Amino acid sequence: MTSLGVGLIGTGYMGKCHALAWNAVKGVFGDVARPRLELLCEVTPELAREKAEAFGFARATADWRALVADPAVDVVSVTTPNEFHAEMAIAALEAGKHVWCEKPMAPALADAERMSAAAAASGRVALLGYNYIQNPIFRQIGRLLKEGAIGTPFQVRAEMDEDFMADPDAPFHWKSAAASGYGALDDFAVHPLSLIQRLFGNVARVFCDMGQPYATRQDKGNPRVVETHDMANLLLRLENGMQASLLVNRSAWGRKGRIALQIFGSKGSILYDQERMNEVEVYRAVGPEAEQGYTRTLAGPAHAPYGQFIPAPGHGLGFNDLKVIECRELIRLIAGETATAITFAEGLAIERTVHAAARSFAEGGWVDVGTVTE
Amino acid sequence: MTSLGVGLIGTGYMGKCHALAWNAVKGVFGDVARPRLELLCEVTPELAREKAEAFGFARATADWRALVADPAVDVVSVTTPNEFHAEMAIAALEAGKHVWCEKPMAPALADAERMSAAAAASGRVALLGYNYIQNPIFRQIGRLLKEGAIGTPFQVRAEMDEDFMADPDAPFHWKSAAASGYGALDDFAVHPLSLIQRLFGNVARVFCDMGQPYATRQDKGNPRVVETHDMANLLLRLENGMQASLLVNRSAWGRKGRIALQIFGSKGSILYDQERMNEVEVYRAVGPEAEQGYTRTLAGPAHAPYGQFIPAPGHGLGFNDLKVIECRELIRLIAGETATAITFAEGLAIERTVHAAARSFAEGGWVDVGTVTE
Amino acid sequence: MTSLGVGLIGTGYMGKCHALAWNAVKGVFGDVARPRLELLCEVTPELAREKAEAFGFARATADWRALVADPAVDVVSVTTPNEFHAEMAIAALEAGKHVWCEKPMAPALADAERMSAAAAASGRVALLGYNYIQNPIFRQIGRLLKEGAIGTPFQVRAEMDEDFMADPDAPFHWKSAAASGYGALDDFAVHPLSLIQRLFGNVARVFCDMGQPYATRQDKGNPRVVETHDMANLLLRLENGMQASLLVNRSAWGRKGRIALQIFGSKGSILYDQERMNEVEVYRAVGPEAEQGYTRTLAGPAHAPYGQFIPAPGHGLGFNDLKVIECRELIRLIAGETATAITFAEGLAIERTVHAAARSFAEGGWVDVGTVTE
Amino acid sequence: MTSLGVGLIGTGYMGKCHALAWNAVKGVFGDVARPRLELLCEVTPELAREKAEAFGFARATADWRALVADPAVDVVSVTTPNEFHAEMAIAALEAGKHVWCEKPMAPALADAERMSAAAAASGRVALLGYNYIQNPIFRQIGRLLKEGAIGTPFQVRAEMDEDFMADPDAPFHWKSAAASGYGALDDFAVHPLSLIQRLFGNVARVFCDMGQPYATRQDKGNPRVVETHDMANLLLRLENGMQASLLVNRSAWGRKGRIALQIFGSKGSILYDQERMNEVEVYRAVGPEAEQGYTRTLAGPAHAPYGQFIPAPGHGLGFNDLKVIECRELIRLIAGETATAITFAEGLAIERTVHAAARSFAEGGWVDVGTVTE
């Protein structure tokens, strides 16, 4: 396996997360070539230089077009705000680079479709940063389902909640402006949808209600009308026939990183909550009734690739470790191997579900996801 | 306070629960007159006599009409299957008796309306057995909301799940036949709806999806088509403007008595689960961020009337204790005092919501609860 | 089975609990004769009459000697403060009555020994009110151990904590005076010791450390020296060879009714906490490592006699229900049947362990329980 | 701040953990000079080269003496088995290097004393790898105690349990041979002792009981006598007067990485469990009794330096992240700044407590830690 030259655009929340992953992937997994951290791009040359030094990149630039064109760069991490994803990712793909782009793909469905088309045309790897699917405990859920541990699943309930928009006295946030998208629907729902897609496939149809905790927020001393919806409740029917629900709320005081799943099947059920990401609870309807119950399993080396990080069980992976695993999967894909990942093509189905939900909210009825196009 | 003469119809799950409550209410609360357990009705004279002896009733009968007409009976506990509620409750009210009737009111909305009308016409107390609202910890939630502990509530999520219908290999159950009702919608949803009503008032409109885990069940060796829905997912808008969701499933392996609430407000949130009925979790967005979190409170004498049962906190009330509290509230109502209770009139709004949900499922759109009549 | 005539001495915390149990036992279990509530004794005739009316007793008295001599009384509930247990229980036994006495037996070991001797001489049933052993979930632990679910147990850790003595600003309490006993050692330790005894047999030797959170407490405006110890830590060796620890604290802020057990064996482990008395967690070292974990079981009809109270699982028994079960066991014993119970003879071993611990604290070394006599 | 030259001896469990930390510390914290990974030592040149490549070290050697003498190396990570710590750490210190040595210091107290003396003589930084004290949530506990959130603490209970020695059918393990030490006492107890020391200072006296789950284990088909103790129960008195207990078990089926603390004080209590390392529960005896309870806080940016890893709360740090924090503290110490760390001098008090406990077990009485010397 030859070493990959890496270009990183953006050094915020996810940019730093990518950078740490690129630095760690060789040490953690051993069996990959050490990536060459070639070029980092930020908005100013000064910031780019500072971050390049911090994250171990050889060179810095404030011109992302130079980065995607750089011959030493094989793969581009795109971690800028969502509105820039399409332009950058497409340019990188057209320049023959592999792309590791943060989710969601783009505010506009047309852009997401163009990204997917560009990926297909390029023949390059185009991966979305849906890191929660990389959690060894989440993969264990997939294994359990495949093995029939809970029989045939017929219902899944998903919730995603945080409270960074919960304070009514906080000043007007750019996420409350219509330009930022629908609100919790596109900001949050894509994450649990990635989990649902990974486990059960695509959504067939959707019904959606949205809500606003606060009609206005303070903007420089004056109330300003909130244009997005911090809450969205979705009812879903999956292509495989399952019934599903998805409740998301970014004004949910007390919730910090909750992504909860409840999966019910003909022989048992499975519970998961990202706030306790090293745990899964499984109920199996077997054995004496007096002994049945939810079995809570702690992540450990039995859940690959946990053991690459820590040889002892129950010691706990962290959020950033998931990006290291995702990075390893990206390298696998680039090497032509199979991997656990959500590509641009698969991500497009998630985006389409989001836009179908928005249309459902406007129309007040079920919307078939397949009928939604740009 | 004069002693009440009690008549009990039915001695199944809820009948026994009523009987235990009538036996315990004086001992627990002290400040009421000891009820006279006059007459018990069961389907045969033999069973009636056996149960009268077991539950301490003076006389027994197999004729419920004799019971509601009995001059020594002041109040009638109606605990028979739902389909008999209307006839019995109305007859009792018309005979001038107070009625304590198990929920839901009746399978047909028209019957529920007749019950409510009969109660109004009678001038008697007509109480529904929505016992979960009597939990001292649930009452504490009400107090917290009233005090503004979580500011203005804007969203509530409710779930109710059990697994007695979860086994696909169990024989065809009468609850799978259309004659029994819609399924989980009327069997389960009324319970969490009673909690929502008590805390936040009535439902304005509803959207509903229903699902069947199993299309057929074994009936004497042959598959028989299942006519009810063990799963129902409801999105709600309350009259007070709140957004709500209600997910119910009686084929949910692993869930035994789950009735879960998540209430989000402008200053905090509240979590509750009936499976841990002596606990409530409250998040308040006050104080240093580093110290915020969900505070889990155990029921104790600070949550009246817990102290009537046990003088020490954290020792745990049980499900049957809630019926004793409900019995005390009934006696309070009969004495003309204010009480925590859901009367026939209030229960009718719950029934109406259920039927509105059923219509929504048939039509695929929102249904205004106010538009639903018999 | 003939009906038992009941006499009740005391109507405080445990007296009321006995009274509720005597009222409920027939209704709950059905298969016993309804007890005749004959005579109730309190400190004044007025209070006795009031409580007799409240608890459904036919007659009242302020003379406990009259009660134990009453020919209509077959069994005496002794629920007075510990210092009166010996005199009353022995008098009742000598009068030919069965005795149901609250724990612990008596502050002085000599009294406990006299009680045990009187019971043996009387040929009557002499039961101690160790209600926690009656919890269906606790009985399930016993069944699991017997079936070898966790192999050979080799270690048990017990804790019991409440916080009613935790406030340093509360006025001097009679439990802080030496006359009340050692402190948490005799006040609390007997409860978890009853659980350990029931599951694993008697204690062979003990080491004990005790501690005082507060050296003085306010007594009418002046500091008064605290003479008892609110905290006690015990290390134990059981007669069966197991290693054990027992930590008790009645000044443990936040703990309300915690009695926690951790049992480790060669094939698994079991966790229990009285604050969640309807749950038990069991780890079995079987099956794939990736699926192992603690299985949390909720109490249900599969755990007899839960089903006598509620036909559905997961709905929750309460603290008072345990006394009803204990009452049923008492009736069983009186009828000459085997039952789950701790008799005076067995209780004496618990008392002896407590006194051995006190001696260990004084001497600073291990004390063999067998060497401790009055 | 100038860049440090790093030498790493050992690449096992902790060696890899050090290597990942050295790779990540600059990226995570930004405000340090990027360490130069100069030289890695393993038992063979081949393994050393392979690991050097994996972990990004420039050079490799199989001669640890060459490493500690290497002029490009400023700081040496010692992660070899405990028996080699003393020789290597002392050599490194004598060569003028800073040392980052894994815990515990050494099996023999005399060696630990020599290490401490060498550190003092060298004037270099000598840090022990007690990583659990670096958990932002653990630091929060320290802050809470300092602020008096629970008043004056008077009792702490600690437990540490894993199950890697729990299988009675596993072959004889080198940890069952006397040469490995006492057993759980030195293998485990040092970790919770480091937490206790950090929060409350040193142990004054100790009483210890030890136990063996299995007397023999299979060794090539024959039973072989187990010479160590997988279980140890300690009662402690701290120098500050607090009462403490410490229960450790490495044959505790079901426990994977449990390090549990319960801290009781005059105004509240604190609970912590390393298996849920991103959570802490705090009870404060303030406000209405009806609202008191344990408040569970999730780690977030409010708990520095969590925010250096992830800007959003509740997303979860992992075990390996603690080593990155520890590495940052080491760099701080080398730069002459104050830091959160356990030095050789402080670690010696922990080792002394362990040896005092062993003596207590042999003698059956309390042992003053201060009386224990080599």
Side-chain angles (χ1 to χ4, degrees):
Chain A
M1 192 179 284
T2 59
S3 171
L4 290 167
V6 179
L8 170 66
I9 312 180
T11 61
Y13 187 165
M14 279 300 125
K16 183 171 184 173
C17 196
H18 277 234
L20 294 175
W22 283 118
N23 272 279
V25 67
K26 169 65 179 173
V28 170
F29 284 95
D31 63 349
V32 296
R34 178 168 290 270
R36 289 172 290 103
L37 309 191
E38 291 287 349
L39 189 52
L40 180 149
C41 176
E42 255 299 349
V43 286
T44 66
E46 295 69 31
L47 185 60
R49 267 196 300 275
E50 177 199 326
K51 292 298 182 180
E53 206 264 319
F55 297 150
F57 280 74
R59 292 172 289 137
T61 178
D63 178 1
W64 68 265
R65 294 186 184 279
L67 185 146
V68 300
D70 194 283
V73 169
D74 300 308
V75 53
V76 179
S77 279
V78 178
T79 72
T80 49
N82 303 342
E83 60 200 279
F84 302 115
H85 288 179
E87 187 175 19
M88 292 174 176
I90 292 169
L93 288 165
E94 289 177 351
K97 312 303 188 192
H98 304 290
V99 171
W100 186 13
C101 181
E102 274 310 305
K103 71 284 165 191
M105 296 174 81
L109 181 58
D111 283 334
E113 288 176 342
R114 289 198 301 122
M115 289 169 76
S116 182
S122 73
R124 297 294 159 170
V125 169
L127 189 74
L128 292 165
Y130 281 108
N131 48 324
Y132 295 119
I133 68 166
Q134 303 297 348
N135 187 346
I137 274 294
F138 179 76
R139 291 187 180 184
Q140 171 68 5
I141 294 175
R143 258 191 306 272
L144 288 167
L145 289 170
K146 189 164 288 180
E147 293 167 15
I150 64 163
T152 303
F154 49 75
Q155 188 184 48
V156 55
R157 296 180 188 167
E159 294 169 276
M160 177 166 174
D161 305 298
E162 299 190 15
D163 63 3
F164 63 85
M165 298 289 283
D167 188 353
D169 300 325
F172 192 93
H173 190 280
W174 62 268
K175 290 199 171 194
S176 291
S180 71
Y182 304 117
L185 177 57
D186 39 350
D187 199 19
F188 273 19
V190 294
H191 295 274
L193 283 171
S194 75
L195 304 183
I196 289 172
Q197 185 194 62
R198 189 76 205 161
L199 296 176
F200 305 116
N202 286 327
V203 174
R205 53 192 212 130
V206 57
F207 181 88
C208 175
D209 186 28
M210 293 202 262
Q212 292 180 318
Y214 315 116
T216 61
R217 291 187 184 263
Q218 288 301 310
D219 194 17
K220 294 160 198 145
N222 297 310
R224 179 172 162 191
V225 171
V226 171
E227 297 160 342
T228 56
H229 293 82
D230 289 346
M231 310 189 291
N233 288 346
L234 285 72
L235 302 186
L236 309 169
R237 289 288 177 155
L238 307 189
E239 290 183 354
N240 74 355
M242 286 176 65
Q243 189 191 50
S245 56
L246 173 51
L247 314 176
V248 297
N249 187 343
R250 61 187 189 188
S251 290
W253 273 126
R255 302 305 197 183
K256 306 300 178 182
R258 176 171 165 87
I259 305 180
L261 294 181
Q262 301 178 61
I263 305 166
F264 296 103
S266 59
K267 294 184 181 170
S269 62
I270 298 175
L271 309 178
Y272 174 74
D273 182 351
Q274 178 69 23
E275 283 186 359
R276 286 177 170 167
M277 58 173 272
N278 289 286
E279 303 182 14
V280 64
E281 292 185 275
V282 182
Y283 185 97
R284 291 164 182 262
V286 293
E289 197 178 328
E291 299 175 11
Q292 290 179 18
Y294 279 102
T295 299
R296 184 170 60 87
T297 296
L298 292 177
H303 312 102
Y306 175 103
Q308 298 291 333
F309 293 84
I310 314 163
H315 283 55
L317 296 191
F319 175 84
N320 285 343
D321 294 329
L322 304 186
K323 214 63 178 181
V324 181
I325 300 174
E326 188 176 279
C327 187
R328 178 68 186 86
E329 298 300 297
L330 170 67
I331 295 173
R332 230 186 275 276
L333 280 183
I334 292 173
E337 302 165 19
T338 54
T340 299
I342 290 184
T343 62
F344 280 20
E346 291 159 321
L348 184 57
I350 295 173
E351 308 273 328
R352 211 180 290 281
T353 302
V354 164
H355 291 280
R359 197 207 283 172
S360 165
F361 177 58
E363 299 176 356
W366 286 101
V367 171
D368 286 339
V369 175
T371 66
V372 175
T373 51
E374 47 173 310
Chain B
M1 192 177 285
T2 59
S3 172
L4 291 167
V6 179
L8 170 65
I9 313 178
T11 62
Y13 187 165
M14 278 300 123
K16 183 170 185 173
C17 196
H18 277 234
L20 294 175
W22 283 119
N23 272 279
V25 67
K26 169 65 181 174
V28 169
F29 284 95
D31 62 349
V32 296
R34 176 168 294 269
R36 291 174 287 103
L37 309 191
E38 292 287 350
L39 190 50
L40 180 148
C41 176
E42 254 299 349
V43 285
T44 66
E46 295 70 30
L47 184 60
R49 268 195 300 275
E50 177 199 327
K51 292 297 183 181
E53 207 267 315
F55 297 151
F57 279 74
R59 292 172 288 138
T61 179
D63 177 2
W64 68 265
R65 293 187 186 277
L67 186 146
V68 301
D70 194 283
V73 168
D74 301 308
V75 54
V76 180
S77 277
V78 179
T79 73
T80 49
N82 303 342
E83 60 200 280
F84 303 115
H85 288 178
E87 187 176 18
M88 292 174 176
I90 292 170
L93 288 165
E94 290 177 349
K97 312 302 187 192
H98 305 291
V99 172
W100 186 12
C101 181
E102 274 309 306
K103 71 284 165 189
M105 297 173 81
L109 181 58
D111 284 333
E113 288 177 342
R114 288 197 303 123
M115 290 169 76
S116 183
S122 72
R124 298 292 158 170
V125 169
L127 188 75
L128 291 165
Y130 283 108
N131 50 324
Y132 296 120
I133 66 165
Q134 304 296 350
N135 187 346
I137 275 293
F138 178 77
R139 291 187 181 184
Q140 172 67 5
I141 294 174
R143 258 190 307 273
L144 288 167
L145 289 170
K146 189 165 287 180
E147 293 167 15
I150 64 163
T152 304
F154 48 74
Q155 188 184 48
V156 55
R157 296 179 188 168
E159 295 169 275
M160 178 166 174
D161 305 297
E162 298 190 15
D163 62 4
F164 63 84
M165 298 289 282
D167 188 353
D169 300 325
F172 192 93
H173 190 282
W174 64 268
K175 290 200 171 194
S176 292
S180 71
Y182 305 117
L185 177 58
D186 38 351
D187 199 20
F188 272 20
V190 294
H191 296 275
L193 282 172
S194 75
L195 304 182
I196 289 172
Q197 185 194 62
R198 188 77 205 162
L199 297 176
F200 306 115
N202 286 325
V203 174
R205 52 189 213 133
V206 58
F207 180 88
C208 174
D209 185 28
M210 292 202 261
Q212 292 180 317
Y214 315 117
T216 63
R217 290 188 185 263
Q218 287 300 310
D219 194 16
K220 296 159 197 150
N222 296 310
R224 179 172 163 192
V225 171
V226 171
E227 297 160 342
T228 56
H229 292 83
D230 290 345
M231 311 188 291
N233 288 346
L234 285 72
L235 302 186
L236 310 168
R237 289 289 177 154
L238 307 189
E239 290 183 353
N240 74 356
M242 286 177 65
Q243 188 191 52
S245 56
L246 173 51
L247 314 176
V248 296
N249 186 343
R250 62 187 188 186
S251 290
W253 274 126
R255 301 305 196 183
K256 306 300 177 182
R258 176 172 165 87
I259 304 180
L261 295 181
Q262 301 178 61
I263 304 166
F264 296 103
S266 60
K267 292 184 182 170
S269 61
I270 297 175
L271 309 179
Y272 174 74
D273 182 352
Q274 180 67 24
E275 283 186 359
R276 287 179 170 165
M277 59 173 271
N278 289 287
E279 304 182 12
V280 63
E281 293 185 275
V282 182
Y283 185 98
R284 292 164 182 262
V286 292
E289 197 179 326
E291 299 175 12
Q292 289 180 16
Y294 279 102
T295 298
R296 183 170 61 86
T297 296
L298 292 176
H303 312 103
Y306 175 104
Q308 298 292 334
F309 293 85
I310 315 162
H315 282 54
L317 296 191
F319 175 84
N320 285 344
D321 294 329
L322 304 187
K323 213 65 179 183
V324 181
I325 301 174
E326 190 177 278
C327 187
R328 179 68 187 86
E329 297 300 299
L330 170 66
I331 296 172
R332 228 186 277 274
L333 280 183
I334 292 172
E337 302 166 17
T338 55
T340 299
I342 291 183
T343 62
F344 280 19
E346 291 158 322
L348 184 58
I350 295 173
E351 308 274 328
R352 211 181 290 281
T353 303
V354 164
H355 291 280
R359 195 207 284 171
S360 165
F361 176 57
E363 299 175 355
W366 287 100
V367 170
D368 285 338
V369 175
T371 66
V372 175
T373 51
E374 47 175 308
Chain C
M1 193 178 283
T2 58
S3 172
L4 291 167
V6 178
L8 170 65
I9 314 179
T11 61
Y13 186 165
M14 278 300 123
K16 182 171 186 174
C17 196
H18 277 235
L20 294 175
W22 283 118
N23 271 279
V25 68
K26 170 64 181 172
V28 170
F29 285 95
D31 63 349
V32 296
R34 177 168 292 270
R36 290 173 289 104
L37 309 191
E38 293 286 350
L39 191 50
L40 180 148
C41 177
E42 254 299 348
V43 285
T44 67
E46 294 70 32
L47 185 59
R49 267 195 301 274
E50 176 199 326
K51 292 297 182 182
E53 206 266 318
F55 298 151
F57 280 74
R59 292 173 289 139
T61 178
D63 177 1
W64 69 264
R65 293 188 184 277
L67 185 145
V68 301
D70 193 283
V73 168
D74 300 309
V75 54
V76 179
S77 277
V78 179
T79 72
T80 49
N82 303 341
E83 59 200 282
F84 302 115
H85 288 179
E87 188 175 18
M88 292 174 176
I90 291 169
L93 288 165
E94 290 179 349
K97 312 302 188 193
H98 304 291
V99 173
W100 186 14
C101 181
E102 276 309 306
K103 71 284 163 194
M105 297 174 80
L109 181 58
D111 284 334
E113 288 177 341
R114 288 197 304 121
M115 289 168 76
S116 182
S122 72
R124 298 291 159 172
V125 169
L127 188 75
L128 291 165
Y130 282 108
N131 49 324
Y132 296 120
I133 67 166
Q134 304 296 348
N135 187 346
I137 275 294
F138 179 76
R139 291 188 181 183
Q140 171 69 2
I141 294 174
R143 259 191 306 273
L144 288 167
L145 289 170
K146 188 165 289 181
E147 292 168 15
I150 64 163
T152 304
F154 48 74
Q155 188 183 47
V156 55
R157 296 180 187 168
E159 294 169 274
M160 177 166 176
D161 305 298
E162 298 189 16
D163 62 5
F164 62 85
M165 298 290 282
D167 187 354
D169 300 326
F172 192 93
H173 190 281
W174 62 267
K175 289 199 171 192
S176 293
S180 70
Y182 304 118
L185 177 58
D186 38 353
D187 199 19
F188 274 18
V190 294
H191 295 274
L193 283 171
S194 75
L195 303 183
I196 290 172
Q197 185 194 60
R198 189 76 204 162
L199 297 176
F200 305 115
N202 286 325
V203 174
R205 53 192 210 131
V206 57
F207 181 88
C208 174
D209 185 27
M210 292 202 263
Q212 293 180 317
Y214 316 116
T216 63
R217 291 189 185 260
Q218 287 300 311
D219 194 17
K220 294 158 200 149
N222 296 309
R224 179 172 162 193
V225 171
V226 171
E227 296 160 343
T228 56
H229 292 81
D230 290 344
M231 310 188 291
N233 289 345
L234 285 72
L235 302 185
L236 309 169
R237 290 289 179 153
L238 308 189
E239 289 183 354
N240 75 356
M242 285 176 66
Q243 189 191 51
S245 56
L246 173 52
L247 314 176
V248 296
N249 186 344
R250 63 187 188 187
S251 290
W253 274 125
R255 301 305 197 184
K256 306 300 177 181
R258 176 172 165 87
I259 304 180
L261 294 181
Q262 301 177 63
I263 306 167
F264 296 103
S266 59
K267 293 183 181 170
S269 61
I270 297 175
L271 309 179
Y272 174 74
D273 183 351
Q274 179 68 25
E275 282 186 359
R276 287 178 171 167
M277 60 172 272
N278 289 286
E279 304 181 14
V280 63
E281 292 185 277
V282 182
Y283 185 98
R284 291 164 183 261
V286 291
E289 198 178 328
E291 299 175 12
Q292 289 180 18
Y294 279 102
T295 299
R296 183 170 61 87
T297 296
L298 292 177
H303 312 103
Y306 174 103
Q308 298 291 334
F309 293 84
I310 314 163
H315 282 54
L317 296 191
F319 176 83
N320 285 344
D321 294 328
L322 304 187
K323 213 65 179 182
V324 181
I325 301 175
E326 189 176 280
C327 187
R328 178 66 187 89
E329 298 300 298
L330 170 65
I331 295 172
R332 229 185 276 277
L333 280 183
I334 291 173
E337 301 165 19
T338 54
T340 299
I342 291 183
T343 62
F344 281 20
E346 292 158 322
L348 185 57
I350 294 173
E351 309 273 329
R352 211 181 291 280
T353 303
V354 163
H355 291 280
R359 196 207 283 170
S360 166
F361 176 58
E363 298 176 356
W366 287 100
V367 170
D368 286 337
V369 174
T371 65
V372 175
T373 51
E374 48 174 309
Chain D
M1 191 179 285
T2 58
S3 170
L4 290 167
V6 178
L8 170 65
I9 312 179
T11 62
Y13 187 165
M14 278 300 123
K16 183 171 185 174
C17 196
H18 277 234
L20 294 175
W22 282 119
N23 272 278
V25 67
K26 170 63 181 173
V28 170
F29 286 95
D31 63 348
V32 296
R34 177 168 291 271
R36 290 173 289 103
L37 309 191
E38 292 286 350
L39 190 51
L40 180 150
C41 176
E42 254 298 349
V43 286
T44 65
E46 294 70 31
L47 185 59
R49 267 194 301 272
E50 176 200 326
K51 293 297 183 182
E53 206 266 319
F55 296 150
F57 280 74
R59 291 172 289 137
T61 177
D63 177 2
W64 69 264
R65 293 186 184 279
L67 185 146
V68 301
D70 193 282
V73 169
D74 299 309
V75 54
V76 179
S77 278
V78 178
T79 73
T80 49
N82 302 342
E83 60 199 281
F84 302 115
H85 288 179
E87 188 176 16
M88 291 173 176
I90 293 170
L93 288 164
E94 290 178 350
K97 313 302 188 192
H98 305 290
V99 171
W100 187 13
C101 182
E102 274 310 305
K103 71 284 164 190
M105 296 174 80
L109 182 58
D111 283 334
E113 288 177 340
R114 289 198 301 122
M115 289 169 76
S116 182
S122 72
R124 299 292 159 169
V125 169
L127 188 75
L128 291 165
Y130 283 108
N131 48 324
Y132 296 119
I133 67 166
Q134 304 296 349
N135 187 346
I137 275 293
F138 179 77
R139 290 187 181 184
Q140 172 68 3
I141 294 175
R143 259 191 306 272
L144 287 167
L145 289 169
K146 187 164 290 180
E147 292 167 15
I150 64 163
T152 303
F154 48 74
Q155 188 185 47
V156 55
R157 297 180 188 167
E159 295 170 274
M160 178 166 175
D161 305 298
E162 298 189 15
D163 63 4
F164 63 84
M165 298 290 282
D167 187 353
D169 300 325
F172 192 94
H173 189 282
W174 64 266
K175 289 199 171 193
S176 292
S180 71
Y182 305 117
L185 177 58
D186 37 352
D187 199 20
F188 273 19
V190 294
H191 296 274
L193 283 171
S194 75
L195 303 184
I196 290 172
Q197 184 194 63
R198 188 77 204 162
L199 296 176
F200 306 115
N202 286 325
V203 174
R205 53 191 211 131
V206 57
F207 181 86
C208 175
D209 186 26
M210 292 201 262
Q212 292 180 318
Y214 316 116
T216 61
R217 291 186 185 262
Q218 288 300 312
D219 194 16
K220 294 158 199 148
N222 296 310
R224 180 171 160 191
V225 170
V226 170
E227 298 160 341
T228 56
H229 293 81
D230 289 345
M231 310 187 292
N233 288 347
L234 285 72
L235 302 185
L236 310 168
R237 290 290 179 155
L238 307 190
E239 289 183 352
N240 74 356
M242 285 175 67
Q243 190 192 50
S245 56
L246 172 52
L247 314 176
V248 296
N249 186 345
R250 61 187 188 188
S251 290
W253 274 126
R255 301 305 196 184
K256 306 300 177 181
R258 177 172 164 87
I259 305 179
L261 295 180
Q262 300 177 64
I263 305 166
F264 297 104
S266 59
K267 293 185 182 169
S269 61
I270 298 174
L271 309 179
Y272 173 75
D273 183 351
Q274 179 68 24
E275 283 186 359
R276 287 177 170 167
M277 58 174 272
N278 288 287
E279 303 181 15
V280 64
E281 293 185 275
V282 182
Y283 185 98
R284 291 163 182 262
V286 292
E289 198 178 327
E291 300 175 12
Q292 289 180 18
Y294 279 103
T295 299
R296 183 171 62 87
T297 297
L298 293 176
H303 312 104
Y306 175 103
Q308 297 292 333
F309 293 84
I310 314 164
H315 283 54
L317 296 191
F319 175 84
N320 284 345
D321 293 329
L322 305 186
K323 213 65 178 183
V324 181
I325 301 174
E326 189 176 280
C327 187
R328 178 67 186 87
E329 298 300 299
L330 170 65
I331 295 172
R332 231 186 275 276
L333 280 184
I334 291 173
E337 302 165 18
T338 55
T340 299
I342 291 184
T343 62
F344 281 21
E346 291 158 322
L348 184 58
I350 295 173
E351 310 272 328
R352 210 180 291 280
T353 302
V354 163
H355 291 280
R359 197 208 282 173
S360 165
F361 176 58
E363 298 175 357
W366 287 100
V367 170
D368 286 338
V369 174
T371 66
V372 176
T373 50
E374 50 173 306

